[in-house]
Amino acid sequence: MSAPTTGSHPPQSGASPAPDTRIKTVIAACMLAIFLAMLDAQIVATALPRIVGDLGDLDLFAWVTTAYIIASSVTTPVYGKLGDLFGRKKVFLVAIALFLVGSAVSGLAQSMEQLILFRTLQGIGAGGLFVSVLAIIGELFSPREGAKYFNMFGMVFAGAALAGPAIGGVLTDLLSWHWVFLINLPLGVVVLALVASCLHLPPRSRRAHIDYAGFTTLSTAVVALTLLASWGGVKYGWTSPQILGLGAVALVTGALFVAAERRAAEPVIPLHLFRDSTFGISVLVSFAAGIVFLGAVNFLALYIQVVTGASPTLSGVVLLPMMFGLVAASVVSGRIITQTGRYKWYPVLSMATGIVGALLLSTMDTGTPQGLVIAYMLLFGIAAGLNMQVLTMAAQNTAPRDDIGAVHATVAFTRQLGSTLGISVFAAVFYNRLTEELARRIPAGALGGVDRDALSSHEVLDELAAPVREAVENAYAAALGPVFLGAVPVLLVGLGAALLMRNTPLRSWDHGSPEDSPEESAGAPAEAPADQR
């Protein structure tokens, strides 16, 4: 995996202390880079309905998010190894540059296919931001000093989660959807300049063995699975040669990945970690959480803008309660767990609350009062926040200290993989149902030649006759219900797994031993959100 975690080694003796001002500048630049990467997912979700209305290809809209997630998740371990070989600063600068180039060309995209391709480039850059920042902090500070900066991740995540939907709506309304990507450029250039001028680290002398076979087979399996979930039953039949071929590719490359990891000197995902039940359960629950919670914003934005008629700006405001619930639940649960050292019942409560929230969201239609919509989203956000950092805490608590980097990467990767598959599967469910509902509710010729893929645009909806517009709104509402109902079985699996988790007290590593008493962990700093580790 990447460089040792911040708690695993002292600062290198060759590193001369940087001036205090320079250190603060570097930390500010690192946090701004994390903010940009987190903001991007939230800000784009709000603009997706307008993007679909402008570029068309509604059946591809989920790939605007999916391509970004795949690219960032499969490249994260690569950046860790490159940092070992060539130094954190160089790799970080390359990641920032790729993210900015991807943002620029995404803002200039003229078709959905172009946008998906450019978002992939942007995701490749984003994959290096988190891992590089964590490794840089680990080299600049001792473990106890660095802990307070890891805690800042929670505030950065909160800012991005709360500000993203509103910023996305404002930019889309006042300028255009192109600016949800172009806004990254001025901020990113500042990060690039500050890191280039102020970050000074000793040269890297240790050479690492890159698990090329593991990276290649894992990436191929993930792409094949995502294509299968996205195209199955929509673009191709489930028994078509294309879908069966993708399934075969996923199975073969998955088996090759396992074989490669058994032989690799430094595997992407050390298989011995799964011998511990706590780690295995944490990975499974994280996968379930990724499927359900991380894809919800895309479909809620469609409901708010198309069904309720809210503008992108107002929809960003309406989405804030869900983001507030997520952040509040994450922060509060993290503080309580830090004080008590106990964590089991938070993922249990997350899955149970998520089931209730998903069932309530599935009942929404054109007549649902806005107050109820906000209440349902708040509950769903709380459910998402209750498992955010807990699963990483649980997984690392029983893992060998030398594997902590692999633990963080694996839990985050499975959450991202779940998100990728969840968005694709739910998009397929939504699109199939929407096609049926539009055909059933709208008479032939009533749309007057309007492309059905453009019906999520306010400008297009406003031009339709009142009865036709009402039929479109009802069709969207009917198509979104099965999406949230489909989340319930996944959450039930997550709930069953969470109930089997051992409630092992958190241990402290501040004194260098994995076997330190659980009581010492009460004063340990809170962990950063799982998706940032």
Side-chain angles (χ1 to χ4, degrees), residues 140-519:
L140 286 175
F141 303 99
S142 68
R144 189 169 291 277
E145 289 174 326
K148 64 182 179 181
Y149 296 104
F150 290 128
N151 285 337
M152 290 174 63
F153 278 19
M155 292 184 288
V156 171
F157 181 87
L162 291 172
I167 293 176
V170 170
L171 289 175
T172 303
D173 271 346
L174 298 184
L175 298 173
S176 72
W177 63 262
H178 302 276
W179 280 93
V180 302
F181 302 107
L182 299 178
I183 190 64
N184 293 329
L185 300 183
L187 298 176
V189 169
V190 171
V191 175
L192 200 64
L194 293 178
V195 172
S197 61
C198 297
L199 178 59
H200 300 289
L201 295 172
R204 306 293 298 181
S205 57
R206 170 178 169 267
R207 295 193 62 84
H209 299 284
I210 300 178
D211 182 12
Y212 291 106
F215 291 136
T216 302
T217 52
L218 179 62
S219 302
T220 304
V222 169
V223 173
L225 274 175
T226 307
L227 289 174
L228 186 153
S230 178
W231 289 347
V234 178
K235 190 171 184 178
Y236 304 105
W238 287 106
T239 58
S240 66
Q242 292 86 349
I243 297 301
L244 293 177
L246 286 170
V249 170
L251 287 174
V252 171
T253 53
L256 290 175
F257 171 72
V258 173
E261 298 310 271
R262 288 176 174 172
R263 298 191 303 268
E266 297 180 35
V268 179
I269 300 177
L271 300 181
H272 67 82
L273 292 174
F274 289 93
R275 297 171 188 166
D276 177 63
S277 63
T278 299
F279 176 81
I281 290 172
S282 298
V283 168
L284 178 58
V285 178
S286 182
F287 182 70
I291 291 175
V292 174
F293 296 124
L294 297 183
V297 175
N298 296 282
F299 298 98
L300 286 174
L302 278 174
Y303 173 84
I304 293 167
Q305 292 188 33
V306 177
V307 179
T308 69
S311 66
T313 299
L314 182 57
S315 69
V317 174
V318 175
L319 285 170
L320 285 180
M322 189 179 78
M323 297 299 119
F324 176 79
L326 185 152
V327 172
S330 176
V331 172
V332 172
S333 63
R335 288 182 178 177
I336 296 175
I337 292 169
T338 300
Q339 294 172 356
T340 64
R342 304 284 180 172
Y343 53 80
K344 171 179 178 176
W345 296 107
Y346 294 95
V348 171
L349 186 59
S350 170
M351 297 294 106
T353 306
I355 291 171
V356 176
L359 289 172
L360 292 173
L361 288 170
S362 71
T363 66
M364 296 189 306
D365 55 27
T366 55
T368 304
Q370 193 173 76
L372 279 181
V373 174
I374 292 174
Y376 296 166
M377 291 192 298
L378 176 63
L379 183 65
F380 205 62
I382 291 172
L386 285 172
N387 73 73
M388 179 159 293
Q389 56 187 334
V390 178
L391 297 172
T392 299
M393 287 182 184
Q396 74 170 11
N397 189 47
T398 57
R401 187 168 180 177
D402 290 341
D403 290 326
I404 293 306
V407 167
H408 290 315
T410 304
V411 174
F413 170 75
T414 53
R415 185 183 293 265
Q416 289 178 319
L417 177 60
S419 174
T420 301
L421 294 178
I423 292 173
S424 298
V425 171
F426 291 151
V429 171
F430 166 75
Y431 187 75
N432 275 332
R433 182 63 180 271
L434 179 63
T435 301
E436 295 174 2
E437 292 293 331
L438 288 174
R440 184 173 68 87
R441 296 173 183 271
I442 302 176
L447 290 177
V450 174
D451 186 352
R452 293 189 176 189
D453 288 349
L455 292 176
S456 62
S457 170
H458 265 274
E459 289 78 5
V460 174
L461 285 174
D462 288 341
E463 294 177 358
L464 299 176
V468 177
R469 174 170 181 164
E470 183 179 350
V472 171
E473 293 170 352
N474 284 315
Y476 267 81
L480 288 168
V483 169
F484 296 108
L485 281 177
V488 173
V490 178
L491 292 169
L492 284 171
V493 172
L495 176 61
L499 287 169
L500 296 175
M501 182 179 287
R502 295 187 312 231
N503 201 17
T504 307
L506 291 177
R507 65 195 184 192
S508 171
W509 294 340
D510 288 340
H511 305 295
S513 173
E515 289 74 35
D516 285 338
S517 63
E519 289 76 16

Side-chain angles (χ1 to χ4, degrees), residues 117-136:
L117 176 63
F118 298 152
R119 283 280 283 169
T120 302
L121 177 61
Q122 192 185 26
I124 291 173
L129 299 183
F130 291 119
V131 67
S132 296
V133 168
L134 290 171
I136 287 169

